[in-house]
């Protein structure tokens, strides 16, 4: 009696970008318009050339790339002779007339535009209703697993780690958040301001995050006993809901010190922000320093929420902090 081995499923091959050019640092400027639900952007990427080439390939999805230049070392930047956007594999192919020599370092600058989509991925819009019953929008992000490419052109693979400098150009009345603490706020004219954030640690694109909108917050600090310093922690919400973030805030300040004690590793970032998003597909997302949540996974009504609801919020908050 013979038996045949079970049929094996074919292994799905990953489609990776060419390894001839890789990023080391991004400087990103984004200017979202919450009325038009669009945004403009500019990204300057420091890259290393590992193999001589005339083509640079990176990810881009649903973006309009208007201009690209590349400068090797201190040389004058050369414009891309052609920009090919390939929707089927979500890439942009930038062609240059002059050869990019192996071993050199260069700066790639791309100007682009995008839509604040309603898909709850990439850089997207979330609708909420204010106290007067008016529908409004905020802009937020969800990049895991592969949707940073919907927000800006990038090497959108977990192994292609880099540092990030983020600047958000927003209405003066709005709050802008990202992974790191604010380095500066400067007027940008026409009622806008540039909010520049400090540089991130080396990280993958899927952990980057930014949020823009009418927001309020409550704040507390950890004891600093095991982290070596008090960590400022905030819970952000749309107007009128911040009091419901107190339970999650209390959990966060205790768990951050507990994890530092148990794992023997101090929290590495200068702050921890948690924010409740009305339109959010997952339960939560562990973006470093700016954790995004579905409202029900973060907010607790002290008067009416059940013990089960509180336990679930404590579980989700602790889970996301473990990723930090």
């Amino acid at each position: 009696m013979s038996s045949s081995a079970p049929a094996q499923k074919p292994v799905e091959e990953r489609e990776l970008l060419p390894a001839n050019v890789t990023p080391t640092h991004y400087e990103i400027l984004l200017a979202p318009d919450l009325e038009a639900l669009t945004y403009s952007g500019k990204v300057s990427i420091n890259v290393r050339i590992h193999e001589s080439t005339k083509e640079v390939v990176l990810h881009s999805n649903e973006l309009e790339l208007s201009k690209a230049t590349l400068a090797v070392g201190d040389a004058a930047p050369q414009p891309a002779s052609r920009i090919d956007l390939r929707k089927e594999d979500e890439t942009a192919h930038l062609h240059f007339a002059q050869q990019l020599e192996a071993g050199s370092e260069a700066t790639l600058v791309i100007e682009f535009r995008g839509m604040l989509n309603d898909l709850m991925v990439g850089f997207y819009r979330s609708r909420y209703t204010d106290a007067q019953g008016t529908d409004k929008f905020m802009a937020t992000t969800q990049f895991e697993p592969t949707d940073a490419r919907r927000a800006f052109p990038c090497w959108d693979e977990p192994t292609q780690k880099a540092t990030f400098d983020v600047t958000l150009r927003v209405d003066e009345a709005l709050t802008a958040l990202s992974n790191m603490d604010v380095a500066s706020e400067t007027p940008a004219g026409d009622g806008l301001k540039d909010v520049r954030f400090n540089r991130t640690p080396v990280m993958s694109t899927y952990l980057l995050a930014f949020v823009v909108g009418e927001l309020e917050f409550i704040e507390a600090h950890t004891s600093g006993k095991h982290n070596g310093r008090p960590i400022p922690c905030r819970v952000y919400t749309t107007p009128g809901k911040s009091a419901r973030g107190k339970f999650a805030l209390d959990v966060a300040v205790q768990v951050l010190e507990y994890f530092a004690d148990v794992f023997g590793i101090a929290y590495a970032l200068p702050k921890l922000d948690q924010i409740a998003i009305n339109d959010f597909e997952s339960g939560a997302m562990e973006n470093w320093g700016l954790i995004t949540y579905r409202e029900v996974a973060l907010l607790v009504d002290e008067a009416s929420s059940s013990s089960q609801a509180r336990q679930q919020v404590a579980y989700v908050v602790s889970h996301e902090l473990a990723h930090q």
Side-chain angles (χ1 to χ4, degrees), residues 138-151:
M138 61 190 295
T140 186
T141 56
Q142 171 60 38
F143 290 164
E144 188 183 39
T146 56
D147 285 306
R149 66 191 70 177
R150 289 180 179 269

Side-chain angles (χ1 to χ4, degrees), residues 220-233 249-267 272 321:
H221 290 71
T222 70
S223 67
K225 179 179 180 181
H226 302 291
N227 279 296
R229 60 189 171 92
I231 309 298
C233 301
L249 183 63
D250 291 343
V251 170
V253 297
Q254 295 179 60
V255 169
L256 271 185
E257 291 297 331
Y258 174 75
F259 282 165
D261 181 27
V262 169
F263 298 125
I265 302 173
Y267 181 69
L272 173 70
L321 293 185

Side-chain angles (χ1 to χ4, degrees), residues 78-92:
Q78 60 166 315
S81 58
R82 192 170 81 251
I83 300 175
D84 292 335
L85 299 179
R86 301 187 183 178
K87 185 174 179 62
E88 65 276 8
D89 55 7
E90 301 176 354
T91 57

Side-chain angles (χ1 to χ4, degrees), residues 62-75:
E62 302 293 338
L63 298 175
E64 176 188 332
L65 277 54
S66 57
K67 182 180 179 181
T69 63
L70 189 143
V72 177
D74 296 327

